[in-house]
Amino acid sequence: MAEEAINNDSSVQEQWGQICSQLKTEVGDTAFDSWLKPLTLGSFSDGTMNICVPTRFMRNWVITHYSDRIHKIWEKKNPAIKNINFVVQAVQEETPSLYNPTCRSLLKKITSTPAPQNVYQSGINALVANNNDTALNDTLSVPLNPQYTFDNFVVGKTNEFAYAAARKVAESRNVSFNPLFLYSGVGLGKTHLMHAIAWHIKQQDPSRNIVYLSAEKFMYKFVRALRYKDTTAFKEQFRSVDVLMVDDVQFMGGKDTTQEEFFYTFNSLIEEGRQIIISADKSPADLEGIETRLKSRLGCGLVADIHPTDFDLRMGILNNKAQQLGIELPVKVAEFLAQKITSNIRELEGALRRVIAHSQLLNDREITLDMTQDVLKDMLRSFDKRTTIDEIQKKVAEHFNISVKEMQSSRRARTVARPRQIAMYLAKQLTSRSLPEIGRKFDRDHTTVMHAVRKVEELIVEDASLAENVDALRRILEA
Ligand code: ADP
Ligand code: MG
């Protein structure tokens, strides 16, 4: 009877259908949709039933978690099945009837779309880049900056530990510290180091699947997948990476569902022995709005911080950049810049670029201290007197005749909401605070700030009186 059943496609398919329903009740919808629904029946021979799994990662997971159970249930139903074998196989269009249509459409999408033509990205993120599912139709990995390499990273006292940790992770064949957690204030080299790790690994072994993306992008993709009810494909993309880098995880603060998904992804990858590299603006313990269990997971590998720059590092960076650009930078000018622009490396580079651009515009006029001071007058003034968000809130509230309390309240009346948006906009323009940091000052999340900034940018174009108000406020704050 058993042999008969096995020779009959529809009976086996029926049995598989029953097994699936039983498993679904046992493991719950989420686990079922993620891991078991994509399985499809393959061929049967010598008592062995082949079950197709779309990826290696999924195969390992299914074997560890579900194979015993599947075997037990099936054996009971059909003693002819002695073994179950899981094979990684992207199922082809012409595969016969023993086949799950949901899985087919998903696999077709994954396997048939050509990779995007991105020079920076070739070799990176191969599987992810090939997936052109509706819910996931742009690539996950952000292009890597070709300048952000270890060679271009100047090492000093303030960043040597983070640099050494990054190099170690990049050079190790085996996972060394997991995760590597890098943190610092803005513009101090976290992203540079992450890209450098990616470049290095890619150079050593182009077959490794590296995904680098910002936490914001992770959230965006996840929310999209939820909307399109396509979280399985979303999960699968992450779970097949060898090295996952997530930049600026502080942006996940307060986003509980995303954090949960990230936590899940994170744990599976760590268990699988894949390398994870994370950056944030604070240490794991100090991250705001991040669940305790995630914080403790983030901090359980190696935590390395980059300190604010010191004079020597600033000098080193200026000389290095000047050399790269083939520019003679007089020592006096370099010292002046290194003394004055202490906030972060991004601004230091910005200042240097301005000076160089000025000299080039004037037919390569010699770069002197006088010229530098003159070119950077405005910039330096604003460095001398950094505007704070508190000050912005106070001045904007005064200007529109409301209280700072009202500005921070949840009131949505236009008379309060508009000044609030303008204050957010000015905070983004005049300070180096991040969107979440600005949001916190207004008791809002970063997407609200982002929306406010866009809104005010639009209004400035459309509404002359509002533009005047914003301009007047800017002058007051910058005075
Ligand atoms: P973060 O991600 O911490 O905000 P970035 O990595 O974006 O900072 O760095 C800001 C800028 O400063 C980039 O252009 C980067 O190349 C440069 N930079 C940062 N650290 C160094 C360094 N040690 N040597 C050379 N350039 C650096
Ligand atoms: Mg960064």
Side-chain angles (χ1 to χ4, degrees):
M1 179 198 79
E3 280 301 324
E4 218 175 81
I6 207 70
N7 287 328
N8 178 335
D9 279 6
S10 65
S11 303
V12 180
Q13 187 65 63
E14 223 167 78
Q15 287 168 6
W16 178 237
Q18 289 160 3
I19 293 168
C20 285
S21 319
Q22 186 170 342
L23 286 169
K24 193 168 180 167
T25 329
E26 287 179 15
V27 304
D29 287 357
T30 315
F32 180 82
D33 288 349
S34 304
W35 305 110
L36 300 168
K37 200 168 158 193
L39 304 183
T40 56
L41 293 187
S43 59
F44 173 81
S45 63
D46 293 337
T48 299
M49 183 77 221
N50 285 311
I51 297 184
C52 306
V53 196
T55 66
R56 184 168 53 100
F57 178 83
M58 212 168 200
R59 176 178 181 270
N60 295 344
W61 186 277
V62 170
I63 289 176
T64 330
H65 293 83
Y66 305 111
S67 72
D68 284 352
R69 188 67 198 134
I70 295 174
H71 191 208
K72 268 222 178 80
I73 308 177
W74 215 336
E75 218 180 8
K76 240 190 189 158
K77 284 193 187 301
N78 188 344
I81 294 178
K82 302 265 185 292
N83 294 306
I84 290 178
N85 188 25
F86 292 91
V87 273
V88 179
Q89 191 180 6
V91 187
Q92 299 302 309
E93 197 55 76
E94 56 275 13
T95 305
S97 64
L98 299 178
Y99 182 54
N100 164 352
T102 324
C103 178
R104 176 165 56 189
S105 60
L106 177 66
L107 282 165
K108 230 181 87 191
K109 282 170 194 157
I110 292 177
T111 50
S112 64
T113 318
Q117 303 297 310
N118 186 332
V119 281
Y120 299 157
Q121 214 170 325
S122 58
I124 291 208
N125 194 21
L127 173 77
V128 174
N130 276 328
N131 188 339
N132 196 29
D133 194 81
T134 353
L136 306 150
N137 59 1
D138 44 341
T139 57
L140 274 175
S141 215
V142 177
L144 296 173
N145 185 326
Q147 301 299 320
Y148 290 2
T149 59
F150 283 127
D151 284 346
N152 288 343
F153 191 85
V154 181
V155 186
K157 274 205 201 70
T158 58
N159 61 17
E160 63 185 358
F161 183 66
Y163 171 81
R167 269 222 98 103
K168 174 89 184 155
V169 165
E171 283 163 7
S172 301
R173 287 255 141 225
N174 303 317
V175 170
S176 39
F177 311 113
N178 218 2
L180 169 62
F181 187 100
L182 299 168
Y183 76 94
S184 77
V186 290
L188 293 176
K190 299 180 294 292
T191 299
H192 188 136
L193 277 181
M194 288 173 109
H195 286 209
I197 296 173
W199 283 124
H200 190 93
I201 295 178
K202 191 165 116 69
Q203 205 174 28
Q204 301 288 306
D205 181 358
S207 71
R208 285 179 85 188
N209 184 11
I210 306 169
V211 169
Y212 164 87
L213 81 170
S214 66
E216 267 176 320
K217 183 129 191 197
F218 181 93
M219 281 188 312
Y220 169 76
K221 302 294 293 186
F222 179 57
V223 170
R224 243 172 104 84
L226 279 181
R227 192 179 311 144
Y228 285 95
K229 301 199 175 18
D230 207 355
T231 48
T232 313
F234 172 83
K235 284 170 198 197
E236 189 55 39
Q237 296 182 88
F238 283 98
R239 286 170 188 155
S240 57
V241 304
D242 296 308
V243 182
L244 175 66
M245 304 189 178
V246 184
D247 209 348
D248 290 321
V249 293
Q250 71 273 8
F251 288 128
M252 282 189 195
K255 300 274 180 285
D256 294 348
T257 336
T258 318
Q259 276 180 42
E260 198 168 309
E261 183 51 37
F262 178 62
F263 184 69
Y264 194 40
T265 306
F266 182 97
N267 282 336
S268 330
L269 287 173
I270 296 247
E271 270 168 33
E272 280 276 302
R274 314 298 167 83
Q275 179 71 54
I276 296 188
I277 300 152
I278 303 286
S279 89
D281 65 349
K282 295 197 182 62
S283 74
D286 290 338
L287 283 172
E288 286 167 26
I290 302 279
E291 278 180 68
T292 318
R293 60 175 188 166
L294 181 52
K295 281 189 197 178
S296 83
R297 276 307 242 157
L298 289 173
C300 71
L302 180 69
V303 177
D305 61 339
I306 306 177
H307 300 279
T309 57
D310 59 16
F311 180 78
D312 289 347
L313 180 65
R314 292 195 291 275
M315 284 297 280
I317 286 170
L318 288 167
N319 289 325
N320 181 275
K321 301 273 166 195
Q323 208 174 13
Q324 269 180 34
L325 296 165
I327 301 285
E328 268 310 314
L329 189 67
V331 179
K332 283 257 168 301
V333 172
E335 282 174 353
F336 173 79
L337 291 171
Q339 256 154 17
K340 287 286 182 188
I341 301 169
T342 56
S343 47
N344 66 51
I345 299 170
R346 189 172 297 133
E347 283 178 330
L348 188 66
E349 280 182 354
L352 178 66
R353 262 200 303 276
R354 248 163 97 164
V355 173
I356 292 173
H358 190 84
S359 126
Q360 286 172 344
L361 273 173
L362 300 173
N363 294 327
D364 287 331
R365 185 177 298 173
E366 194 192 343
I367 296 175
T368 62
L369 187 56
D370 272 356
M371 179 234 252
T372 304
Q373 284 170 331
D374 192 41
V375 172
L376 299 179
K377 222 169 29 218
D378 305 345
M379 198 174 177
L380 293 172
R381 201 178 313 128
S382 84
F383 280 120
D384 286 343
K385 184 189 166 302
R386 276 274 151 122
T387 318
T388 65
I389 299 176
D390 292 0
E391 229 176 295
I392 294 172
Q393 290 183 329
K394 191 164 154 264
K395 287 283 193 288
V396 176
E398 261 171 29
H399 186 87
F400 289 102
N401 244 330
I402 61 171
S403 70
V404 172
K405 266 231 161 64
E406 277 177 301
M407 181 174 274
Q408 294 163 335
S409 74
S410 56
R411 277 192 61 200
R412 290 182 183 189
R414 169 79 57 93
T415 46
V416 180
R418 200 59 96 218
R420 183 185 299 131
Q421 288 176 325
I422 291 175
M424 288 178 177
Y425 167 83
L426 287 168
K428 183 75 194 117
Q429 295 273 312
L430 304 178
T431 74
S432 57
R433 302 286 123 205
S434 67
L435 294 174
E437 279 173 315
I438 297 172
R440 250 170 261 136
K441 287 277 188 184
F442 290 85
D443 216 7
R444 299 291 198 284
D445 71 6
H446 77 280
T447 48
T448 310
V449 183
M450 203 146 65
H451 173 75
V453 172
R454 280 205 206 111
K455 183 78 200 165
V456 175
E457 277 168 359
E458 277 168 32
L459 288 172
I460 285 175
V461 182
E462 293 163 6
D463 180 345
S465 113
L466 181 131
E468 253 168 51
N469 275 312
V470 172
D471 224 40
L473 279 163
R474 189 201 301 272
R475 275 197 303 275
I476 294 170
L477 287 159
E478 278 181 340

